[in-house]
């Protein structure tokens, strides 16, 4: 007999989303977190955008979970009074050469089943966002923003209401499957060993390190790269009421604008490879940010851009330039009973969190 049905390593939005889905399905759940609070890493260092799902190749996990997760977030948050606002989004072409790029995104979005996407001409775009430099744009009605901290608090509440719990300040150290259960060793102030039928690794930027500590898993652990994204806050009024994105590059969605309720805005993230987990934002990036923003908002005042925060994408794959899908491994891949490993849960991981939970709960059944 194991102490518990499921032990999850990592209390980010994905670990909590998975824990919620399993707890609602009647499993006893414990979540181990090395920090003294939940969601303090990538899950609180992102754009808080509810993506619609038009960037990802058809039939990938990212495409499926993003489109499904988008709807699940609105359905979850709205009745609970958690801010999830479909403020909508423009992806902007700033010259005629970029229009083909919009058409290709529209096609991907339609292939993925994203609802309501349209290409608008420049005059129509400018009648809604007068300060925008655009010859055309994709209008996405289901893109929005969410209060991700409240969402995580909601997930944790659902876990606890169903008999599960979060143990903070408790780093996972190692695990081994013996006599049909997982023996899971944790450190921190009260080092202990617990047993669980199912072990789920959802450790974000630490997923390579955590997975290497599971006996028998070594050869399935991908190399991790850090794709750092910096943000700058705009200290003046920004005259936009929706998300404004440039065309994506091969590595990232581009330095976009996220408005807040007070009429201010945040710009970012950019993308750079980082050797370490370092959240410092270098002030020297201001010029690069201003030049990028000026493409779609010519009046931006560079002096009003102030370094804000940074987040780091857990990238797998040989290069930051290649598309890599979420990697979620079950017994059929690694051959270990009762083990689920999540790797490379970068964007749109927040949007996908509830759909990932639903998927893992279904697979484990
Ligand atoms: C700059 C940036 C912008 C983004 N913007 C968006 C966006 O707008 N929309 C969107 O959908 N997605 C976005 N994403 C992606 C999204 O933020 C992530 O996919 C999501 O937060 C990942 O959640 P997670 O739970 O997997 O990881 P994390 O939030 O990193 O959680 C992992 C947890 O595991 C814990 N942990 C690690 N090692 C151990 C251990 N040994 N023992 C116990 N606990 C451990 C960590 O402390 C952490 O709390 C963005 C990401 C970045 C970096």
């Amino acid at each position: 007999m194991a102490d518990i049905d499921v032990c999850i390593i990592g209390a980010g939005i994905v670990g909590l989303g998975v824990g919620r889905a399993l707890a609602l399905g009647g499993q006893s759940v414990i979540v181990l977190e090395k920090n003294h609070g939940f969601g303090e890493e990538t899950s609180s260092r992102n754009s808080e955008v509810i993506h619609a799902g038009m960037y990802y190749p058809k039939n990938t996990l990212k495409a499926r979970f993003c489109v499904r997760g988008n709807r699940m977030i609105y359905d979850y948050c709205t009745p609970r009074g958690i801010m999830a606002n479909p403020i909508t989004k423009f992806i902007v072409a700033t010259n005629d050469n970029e229009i083909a790029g919009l058409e290709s995104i529209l096609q991907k979005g339609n292939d993925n089943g994203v609802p309501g996407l349209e290409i608008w001409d420049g005059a129509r775009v400018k009648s809604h966002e007068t300060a925008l430099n655009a010859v055309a744009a994709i209008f996405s009605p289901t893109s929005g923003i969410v209060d991700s901290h409240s969402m995580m608090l909601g997930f944790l509440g659902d876990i606890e209401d169903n008999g599960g719990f979060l143990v903070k300040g408790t780093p996972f150290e190692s695990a081994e499957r013996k006599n049909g259960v997982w023996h899971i060793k944790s450190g921190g102030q009260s080092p202990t060993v617990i047993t669980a039928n199912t072990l789920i690794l959802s450790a974000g930027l630490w997923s390579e390190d955590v997975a290497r500590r599971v006996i028998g898993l070594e050869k399935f652990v991908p190399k991790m790269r850090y794709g750092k994204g910096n943000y700058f806050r705009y200290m003046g009024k920004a005259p936009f009421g929706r998300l404004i994105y440039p065309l994506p590059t091969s590595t990232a969605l581009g330095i976009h604008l996220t408005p807040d309720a007070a009429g201010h805005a945040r710009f970012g993230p950019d993308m750079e490879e980082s050797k370490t987990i370092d959240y410092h934002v270098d002030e020297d990036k201001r010029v690069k940010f201003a030049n990028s923003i000026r493409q779609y908002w010519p009046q931006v005042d560079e002096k009003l851009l102030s370094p804000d925060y940074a987040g780091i994408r857990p990238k797998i794959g040989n290069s930051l330039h290649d598309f890599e899908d979420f990697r979620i491994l079950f017994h059929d891949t690694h051959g270990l009973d009762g083990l689920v490993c999540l790797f490379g849960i970068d964007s749109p991981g927040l949007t996908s969190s509830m759909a990932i939970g639903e998927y893992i709960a279904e697979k484990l059944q």
Side-chain angles (χ1 to χ4, degrees), residues 56-96:
Y56 318 105
K58 191 178 175 183
N59 292 330
T60 57
L61 295 181
K62 284 187 176 177
R64 275 172 54 195
F65 294 161
C66 187
V67 174
R68 171 95 182 116
N70 173 294
R71 249 177 293 141
M72 291 177 87
I73 288 182
Y74 289 120
D75 289 351
Y76 179 78
C77 292
T78 310
R80 290 170 174 79
I82 298 172
M83 191 279 284
N85 188 351
I87 58 173
T88 77
K89 161 169 159 176
F90 281 145
I91 305 173
V92 176
T94 57
N95 60 62
D96 290 342

Side-chain angles (χ1 to χ4, degrees), residues 232-236 267 283-294 297-307:
F232 276 69
R233 174 151 287 279
Y234 198 63
M235 305 312 282
F267 290 96
E283 195 157 353
D284 293 348
K285 293 187 188 304
R286 180 182 284 113
V287 176
K288 179 184 97 173
F289 267 68
N291 288 339
S292 180
I293 298 161
R294 213 168 273 128
W297 182 26
Q299 287 81 26
V300 64
D301 183 346
E302 185 176 319
K303 294 188 295 301
L304 297 181
L305 289 170
S306 169

